[in-house]
Structures are given as structure tokens and as C-alpha cells.
DNA sequence: CTAATACTTAAGTAAATACTTGACTATGTA
DNA sequence: TACATAGTCAAGTATTTACTTAAGTATTAG
């Protein structure tokens, strides 16, 4: 199971504001690398590196047609992240239920 | 709105396997700092630093009683994270719906 | 063909991160 | 009282990360 590794990549990718901004823009539809770079105060090369991190995290998918690489959203990374969070949630909710039951029994 | 800053902290905190392991163990109930440290191959000081990152991300809460600091789960960070993910999801689902509608009209 | 566009690649740098060590401070325990 | 436990604090170090610059390669437009 290399999932732990994958989840690390997802959360790391989302832990940077620039990368989240990219994801937010791509949520509204695919964009080229240079379109993504335009509003950002950094070089194209830096943006490309951010996109690579997002792609490694399964949050974004890219495809090159001609000389332009188009960046679109991928669900895999989001699914991994929300699944992990949901798992934690179910654990501590179950625990709180047990605590509640114990308190009920006491009264 | 300092939320962007907060979300960065949440995802950064979750982007480390050691810290996720801590969160996973705390999901089953509160633990002291040294209990948390026991299975980990690093010094107590390092574990404390990880816990501080988790606390800054709102994923964990700690309280000191006597000489032992007890670490328990906090929902705030999880809520922030899953909210951000849900927002993205609703955006691209809406977009896919529009695309579907357009395809329907064409046929 | 030529020139601009849209990246790509490699290498370097500054700052952040994940640790360590060691010395210290409380707080329980024998 | 003395000793162990549980954590705190400050520094230092090694690696990783977020960039930059500069020189290249395709691809498309004039």
C-alpha cells in the first residue's frame, strides 16, 4: 500500500496558496500553462513546477497539444484527501457516540 | 479573511506522515505527548514540534494537567479542509452539468 | 524562411522544514 | 529529601522547497 505516500503528496500540494489558486482557477475549466501563469507574480518555470506538484498529487491532469499544455482538474487527489478526512471523522464520531452511551448509562 | 492562511496551515500539517499518524492515533481518544512519542522513531522534542504544527492547524487541541500535556482531536481544521474541498467539488460538478446540458441541446 | 510563442531543462540560491542535542523546569513518587 | 518523569526551550544542522536565471526545443504565424 503506497497510499500513505500518495496522501502526503495530495496534502503537500494543497498546502501552498499558489497551488490552491491554480486549482481554484482550473475548477472553472481547463487552462493553458501560460494562462495560469499570467496573474501570478513568478516566472513560467516556477508555475510549471507547481503544476508538476499538483499533477503528482493527482489534483490536476495535463495534456500537450501542439506547443500548448492544457491543465485540467483531476478528481483522484480530491477523493484521496476527502476519504482520509472522512475516515477520521467517522472514527471520532463513533468514539463520541460511545462516550454519550456511557454517560446515558450513568444517569 | 485570514482563512487562506489557515487552510495553508491545515494542509501543511496533514502533508506529513508522522503528523497524520499522530492524528490517526488521537482519533481513537486523547493521548499524552509521551504516549504519542513512544512508537515514533524520533525525540520527544521533535514530537512536540509536530504537535505544535497540528495545533496551529486546528487539527488537535492540547491541555496541560500537572506535568502531562494531553492531546485531543479538534474539528476546526478538518472542517476547514473538507469545506475547501467541497467548494471545489461543487464548482466542477456545476461545470460538468453545464457541459452536459450543452451536449443535450446539440443532439 | 524567420520570428515569435509556448513551453522544457538544468543548475543555482535563499528560506523553510524536520529533525537533533543539551540544558532547564516543573511535578509527582519512594 | 532525592530521584524519576514529563515536558519546555534554545540552538544548531541537514534536507527540502520555492523560487530564479539562462539556454534550449518544438510549434505555429507571417
Amino acid at each position: 500500500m503506497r497510499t500513505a505516500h500518495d496522501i502526503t503528496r495530495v496534502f503537500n500540494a494543497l498546502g501552498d496558496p499558489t497551488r490552491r489558486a491554480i486549482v481554484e482557477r482550473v475548477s472553472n475549466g481547463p487552462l493553458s500553462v501560460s494562462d495560469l501563469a499570467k496573474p501570478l507574480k513568478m516566472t513560467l518555470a516556477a508555475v510549471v513546477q507547481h503544476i508538476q506538484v499538483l499533477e503528482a498529487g493527482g489534483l490536476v491532469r495535463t495534456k500537450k497539444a501542439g506547443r500548448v499544455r492544457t491543465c485540467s482538474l483531476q478528481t483522484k487527489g480530491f477523493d484521496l484527501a476527502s476519504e482520509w478526512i472522512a475516515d477520521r471523522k467517522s472514527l471520532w464520531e463513533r468514539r463520541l457516540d460511545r462516550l454519550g452511551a456511557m454517560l446515558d448509562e450513568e444517569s
Side-chain angles (χ1 to χ4, degrees), chain A residues 20-40:
Chain A
R20 281 202 312 282
I22 291 175
V23 167
E24 285 172 11
R25 295 191 49 223
V26 169
S27 299
N28 296 313
L31 284 169
S32 74
V33 173
S34 28
D35 278 350
L36 282 169
K38 254 167 220 158
L40 301 174

Side-chain angles (χ1 to χ4, degrees), chain A residues 72-92:
Chain A
S72 55
L73 212 116
Q74 203 189 351
T75 58
K76 186 185 147 202
F78 291 91
D79 291 343
L80 271 176
S82 42
E83 193 185 309
W84 188 86
I85 293 173
D87 285 353
R88 294 317 112 211
K89 223 170 242 179
S90 85
L91 262 181
W92 52 260

Side-chain angles (χ1 to χ4, degrees), chain A residues 35-67:
Chain A
D35 278 350
L36 282 169
K38 254 167 220 158
L40 301 174
K41 288 176 180 36
M42 66 184 70
T43 61
L44 218 202
V47 174
V48 169
Q49 285 161 23
H50 279 303
I51 291 174
Q52 282 165 356
V53 173
L54 287 169
E55 197 163 18
L59 292 155
V60 133
R61 187 199 333 264
T62 76
K63 201 182 174 187
K64 194 157 185 179
R67 63 182 166 178

Side-chain angles (χ1 to χ4, degrees), chain A residues 8-17 19-20 23 53-54 59 77-78 81:
Chain A
T8 298
R9 277 199 271 261
V10 178
F11 284 128
N12 265 335
L14 293 178
D16 180 276
R19 285 194 289 263
R20 281 202 312 282
V23 167
V53 173
L54 287 169
L59 292 155
F78 291 91

